[in-house]
Amino acid sequence: MNPLLSRLQPYPFERLRQLFATVTPSPDYPAISLGIGEPRHATPEFIKSALTAALGTGLASYPATAGEPTLREACAAWMQRRYGLELNPATQVLPVNGSREALFALAQTVIDPTRAGATVVHPNPFYQIYEGAAFLAGAQPYYAPSDPSRNFAVDWDSVPDDVWARTQLLYVCSPGNPTGAVMPLAEWQKLFELSDRHGFVIASDECYSEIYFRDEPPLGGLEAAMKLGRTEFRNLIALTSLSKRSNVPGLRSGFVAGDAALIKPFLLYRTYHGSAMSPVVQAASIAAWNDEAHVVENRRMYREKFAAVTPLLSAVMDVALPDASFYLWAGVPAFWQGNDTAFARELLAQYNVTVLPGSYLAREAAGHNPGQGRIRMALVAETAECLEAARRIVQFILSRG
Ligand SMILES: Cc1ncc(COP(=O)(O)O)c(C=O)c1O
């Protein structure tokens, strides 16, 4: 067996299952889960229709790993409308089967494990695929902590120079999961300078880019590069997904865009890995990228939900409306003395509401787990259900004085 497999950590939901194994949820309340970050708004009908219409011819041949030119053009056209970017669909865009597999596969393409101390830097807390991708590529992850005093911006300055020197890949996540923080241009500039100095690749995970609460849409990685005159996007690749934007997590569709010198070897890797997108999925994806009305409506629903739920919770715990994403990243009240797992267990036992302990989304580094004492709440259910969960959480917290 590949010995690197033994380095993979249990997924947060597996740890949650174990945490709850000895808890009896209160039978007085119907179960509500804010645990899993899976979109639950309805999939638009026109996307389903495009999928079924493609069944006629779509299953009869092997798809090319590069995808149909029409799909790549639709992706590039969306990047143009959203960020003002002029990308070459043939060389700077590549469809992927959701951003998760692409985040993973990119590390396998980029990392040279024969170079001493191969390192992947990523935020802490973080989306667990970054760490697993680093391990299986033969690299060591370095956990860069997010700073609660700066709207959970990642403290890149805390990464020592000798770590940057051996870094081959940096994952950034903006808007962030679980913090919702959006990276401003100055932060991008700092990372581009570090990448230029040390030669590492930046993978920009942008799958929450369309769910935002401020007037201004989140800055994209390629957009930041363009604003700073980096028109070739050297060593930069952005990963975008339909899952959250269009409520199609089951479609498995997204794309990567950026440095053509990275896209080319990535396509080669993917050809051998066998990760071509089904023509049926490609047809549905073209329809989804070409439409913005459903995205505006989706965002409106999240905004309405967050506007209703956040004030209830912020009255009793340390939580605020994030820049973007569909998570609330809340501090547990002092009564629990930073014990996020105890909070989650007691809440389930007394009010049948599931939340995810923040410590499961982060790693202890330099003696500190930056997720400790926080919980992540995914507001993916309908507003009424999220409101009901929030009311129960308020009652739960108030019952402890
Ligand atoms: C930060 C982050 N990146 C990537 C993904 C993967 O999304 P998908 O593979 O559906 O595009 C998720 C899914 O929850 C996520 O939270």
Side-chain angles (χ1 to χ4, degrees):
M1 294 297 283
N2 182 343
L4 297 175
L5 283 169
S6 65
R7 304 192 68 184
L8 297 176
Q9 301 287 310
Y11 221 60
F13 304 111
E14 173 56 25
R15 295 179 70 186
L16 194 62
R17 212 179 49 77
Q18 283 170 18
L19 179 74
F20 288 170
T22 53
V23 181
T24 308
S26 167
D28 301 337
Y29 299 91
I32 301 182
S33 177
L34 308 180
I36 297 188
E38 180 178 11
R40 280 168 52 192
H41 295 171
T43 298
E45 286 303 323
F46 77 92
I47 299 180
K48 294 189 213 170
S49 304
L51 186 97
T52 50
L55 281 171
T57 54
L59 302 179
S61 56
Y62 281 115
T65 308
E68 288 298 317
T70 41
L71 173 58
R72 295 165 75 144
E73 282 155 19
C75 297
W78 182 77
M79 291 295 267
Q80 209 287 326
R81 290 192 299 276
R82 172 67 171 79
Y83 298 114
L85 295 161
E86 299 294 341
L87 298 175
N88 181 340
T91 58
Q92 293 179 307
V93 176
L94 191 62
V96 296
N97 297 314
S99 48
R100 176 199 281 231
E101 67 93 354
L103 286 162
F104 178 84
L106 188 66
Q108 317 313 309
T109 310
V110 162
I111 300 293
D112 175 0
T114 65
R115 265 169 56 201
T119 298
V120 173
V121 176
H122 63 69
N124 193 24
F126 60 100
Y127 180 53
Q128 192 153 317
I129 298 302
Y130 311 150
E131 181 192 55
F135 282 140
L136 286 179
Q140 186 61 37
Y142 184 93
Y143 307 98
S146 89
D147 180 355
S149 70
R150 290 188 302 120
N151 185 35
F152 304 105
V154 178
D155 187 5
W156 305 114
D157 291 340
S158 70
V159 180
D161 244 11
D162 64 306
V163 171
W164 286 126
R166 55 178 193 267
T167 297
Q168 296 186 27
L169 176 63
L170 165 66
Y171 285 110
V172 300
C173 187
S174 173
N177 172 6
T179 66
V182 169
M183 276 174 42
L185 191 62
E187 202 172 325
W188 278 108
Q189 183 159 21
K190 177 188 300 221
L191 295 179
F192 291 147
E193 281 165 15
L194 284 162
S195 163
D196 286 347
R197 196 170 330 139
H198 301 289
F200 57 76
V201 168
I202 302 177
S204 175
D205 180 356
E206 305 181 357
C207 67
Y208 294 97
S209 65
E210 303 317 290
I211 302 169
Y212 53 88
F213 305 103
R214 317 249 176 260
D215 290 340
E216 201 182 326
L219 181 67
L222 302 189
E223 184 187 15
M226 182 186 63
K227 283 186 184 235
L228 296 168
R230 304 171 66 91
T231 49
E232 299 296 311
F233 313 114
R234 189 155 77 92
N235 274 335
L236 175 63
I237 197 154
L239 301 97
T240 306
S241 169
L242 284 175
S243 300
K244 283 97 178 160
R245 171 189 181 271
S246 300
N247 295 310
V248 286
L251 188 66
R252 313 311 302 129
S253 179
F255 68 88
V256 301
D259 188 347
L262 291 173
I263 302 259
K264 196 172 171 199
F266 194 39
L267 172 58
L268 174 68
Y269 173 88
R270 300 176 65 71
T271 306
Y272 278 82
H273 195 78
S275 39
M277 184 186 286
S278 164
V280 178
V281 174
Q282 292 194 47
S285 303
I286 292 170
W289 289 119
N290 283 343
D291 184 81
E292 210 53 38
H294 75 286
V295 184
V296 173
E297 172 58 12
N298 190 37
R299 186 161 51 242
R300 188 197 62 73
M301 288 195 285
Y302 279 114
R303 286 182 165 192
E304 187 184 278
K305 191 172 359 188
F306 273 72
V309 171
T310 314
L312 288 185
L313 292 173
S314 64
V316 294
M317 66 197 308
D318 171 23
V319 67
L321 186 70
D323 294 339
S325 85
F326 50 49
Y327 301 111
L328 288 176
W329 181 235
V332 302
F335 177 87
W336 282 270
Q337 299 182 321
N339 191 338
D340 48 318
T341 51
F343 181 94
R345 275 173 62 96
E346 290 167 29
L347 178 63
L348 183 72
Q350 287 172 36
Y351 287 95
N352 209 349
V353 174
T354 296
V355 296
L356 192 61
S359 54
Y360 290 2
L361 294 166
R363 297 281 176 262
E364 185 170 323
H368 172 61
N369 179 326
Q372 177 105 46
R374 306 200 80 87
I375 53 162
R376 191 189 77 176
M377 294 173 276
L379 301 193
V380 287
E382 296 305 322
T383 301
E385 197 176 319
C386 291
L387 267 174
E388 168 61 19
R391 287 194 199 100
R392 290 188 210 167
I393 293 170
V394 170
Q395 235 179 316
F396 171 61
I397 291 173
L398 292 180
S399 73
R400 304 304 168 96

